[in-house]
Amino acid sequence: MTHRFPALIAAPAPGQRPLWLTNARLFTATAEAGAAEGATLRADSAVLVRDGLISQIGDASDPVPPGARPVDLANRVLMPGLTDAHTHASGHVPVTAKGAEAPLPGIAAHFLQAELREYLTRGVTTIRVCGSQGLMPQEARQAMRYGAFRGPRLLTCGKIISATAPGGRFYGDMYREADGPDDMRRAVREQLKNGADFVKVMTTGARSNELEDPEPLQLTDPELAAITDEAHRLGYRVCAHAEGLDGCEAAIRHGADTIEHGMYLHRRPDLLAAMAANGQVLVPTLSGYYWMAGLGDVIDPADAEPRPDMPPVLAELAVRNLQEGASSMRAAREAGVKIALGSDMSLAAGLEIQRMVYHGLSPADVLRAATATAAEALGLADRLGTIAEGKAADLLAVDGDPLEDPAILADPANIHLVIQLGAQVTA
């Protein structure tokens, strides 16, 4: 299966020396929706990391395995590295002052590198890039593969597949516009050719530009069927941008693996029931609405004076969509739909964790969404997301108890240790 995930092929070399992580409280949870009672901290634990994998889970009283370097975590919580299942990492280039030297071609790649490094310092060891400019994610991933720098495991959709639509004017080299079933199928193949780990499709327009209506379905039934059939036939997952209910219904019916946004789904319990029955995952992306509404870094929207950078019609829609999206997230939990964390922003997983809790999920639900369920959404549950023997040693040790106070995960000062494939990358 590894040939289907260029992100795994591009993984850095695993840590060379075995580690014995001892005196830890292990976060244990599965991806099962609503199983909050299954999320606990296992006290006095130890984990042996060898050849990039978790090779043994034991007790702090166990002797140090031969050849392993002991790392005393002093009763800190040891948990899987976080996953942000919906980002748009592109490397933001700041606007230069008048009269200053204009940005040179290629400078965005350096800002992207800095952004990817920062993910690790925040305990995010895997990201799913759901749209970026051109081949930037593939280029950064290749640079990481060959040792230029260290960043998170990076899954990319390549270009987003869209019908010819106004969005193509707004988002630069992020879209691959296609029309008709054959062109849609060709667009899927092009993304896989260029190193995509999954396929993303715009079933509806985007709320982030003023010319698109996010309500109606943008694709014909045969067009969407061609995309999902081709991707699934070749072994790849489909991620569906779906805002209006027509787009959600079509994406669910055609077997999209993840539904991104889905902010009005609480109005259609039948669609949530279908998602739960099919094992489809909802990625609510609350932080995207906060950003578009101009709400800054607050958790409670009432704590901010909105300062949107968008036209009033879009900022007002974002406020409405935040309320709708939060309602749909809660309804999805009640319906047994699996929920994965996706911030729709850069370096905002910690904020998204707090916002998901504020809007109605338990800390255990949200930590599961950022670990086990996120790995399942990416198709990597057999490799990531839980602390289990044989899984990748992508681990995070934190000060405090994130089940009691998930806000600690938003402050890098609380990130004591990050391990990626058995290599200690921050401390």
Side-chain angles (χ1 to χ4, degrees), residues 63-85:
V64 178
R69 177 168 69 87
V71 178
D72 188 347
L73 295 181
N75 206 37
R76 292 181 174 88
V77 171
L78 184 66
M79 59 185 295
L82 302 175
T83 292
D84 191 330

Side-chain angles (χ1 to χ4, degrees), residues 188-427:
V188 170
R189 294 174 181 176
E190 287 175 0
Q191 306 325 303
L192 304 184
K193 170 186 174 182
N194 288 325
D197 300 275
F198 64 102
V199 171
K200 181 179 178 183
V201 57
M202 299 291 292
T203 67
T204 70
R207 68 212 178 282
S208 53
N209 76 77
E210 62 187 356
L211 294 185
E212 286 191 329
D213 182 349
E215 291 288 346
L217 179 63
Q218 281 198 148
L219 306 176
T220 66
D221 212 55
E223 285 175 330
L224 184 53
I227 290 172
T228 55
D229 174 72
E230 189 66 14
H232 288 156
R233 185 178 67 82
L234 295 171
Y236 292 80
R237 296 172 73 81
V238 175
C239 154
H241 171 105
E243 299 191 21
L245 286 170
D246 287 348
C248 290
E249 181 176 18
I252 293 165
R253 176 163 41 86
H254 284 285
D257 300 283
T258 65
I259 306 299
E260 314 296 308
H261 318 303
M263 66 279 280
Y264 309 128
L265 279 167
H266 67 96
R267 303 181 188 180
R268 289 285 302 273
D270 59 314
L271 295 182
L272 291 172
M275 287 183 68
N278 297 339
Q280 293 163 306
V281 180
L282 176 66
V283 186
T285 66
L286 301 182
S287 291
Y289 311 133
Y290 274 83
W291 170 72
M292 283 178 281
L295 294 173
D297 291 343
V298 303
I299 307 303
D300 182 348
D303 289 342
E305 181 68 31
R307 298 181 183 278
D309 293 328
M310 292 187 147
V313 64
L314 296 181
E316 292 166 8
L317 178 61
V319 171
R320 171 194 165 200
N321 284 342
L322 175 56
Q323 298 168 347
E324 298 268 7
S327 294
S328 289
M329 180 182 71
R330 293 189 295 269
R333 177 202 56 198
E334 294 303 317
V337 175
K338 294 179 179 180
I339 298 172
L341 181 142
S343 67
D344 207 7
M345 296 177 63
S346 293
L347 302 171
L351 272 176
E352 185 72 10
I353 286 170
Q354 295 176 82
R355 288 163 171 169
M356 292 172 78
V357 171
Y358 175 80
H359 287 285
L361 299 193
S362 72
D365 287 335
V366 178
L367 294 187
R368 185 180 298 106
T371 55
T373 312
E376 183 172 334
L378 274 55
L380 293 173
D382 60 331
R383 298 171 179 271
L384 306 172
T386 58
I387 297 179
E389 292 179 3
K391 289 197 174 183
D394 286 5
L395 300 167
L396 168 64
V398 297
D399 296 317
D401 183 350
L403 285 173
E404 294 292 331
D405 182 14
I408 65 174
L409 294 172
D411 185 353
N414 296 318
I415 308 300
H416 174 72
L417 173 68
V418 179
I419 292 173
Q420 182 188 54
L421 285 178
Q424 188 171 321
V425 293
T426 68

Side-chain angles (χ1 to χ4, degrees), residues 143-167:
M144 289 189 286
R145 176 182 186 179
Y146 294 119
F149 67 98
R150 197 131 194 168
R153 179 179 295 99
L154 190 162
L155 281 74
T156 177
C157 65
K159 294 185 179 182
I160 304 170
I161 299 173
S162 169
T164 299

Side-chain angles (χ1 to χ4, degrees), residues 19-28 41-50 53-65 68-79 387-389 395 419:
L19 301 176
W20 179 243
L21 307 173
T22 189
N23 292 322
R25 290 179 292 159
L26 295 188
F27 171 74
T28 61
L41 297 179
R42 180 179 183 268
D44 301 319
S45 298
V47 173
L48 176 64
V49 171
R50 188 189 303 275
L53 302 176
I54 297 168
S55 65
Q56 178 185 335
I57 298 173
D59 299 321
S61 59
D62 294 339
V64 178
R69 177 168 69 87
V71 178
D72 188 347
L73 295 181
N75 206 37
R76 292 181 174 88
V77 171
L78 184 66
M79 59 185 295
I387 297 179
E389 292 179 3
L395 300 167
I419 292 173

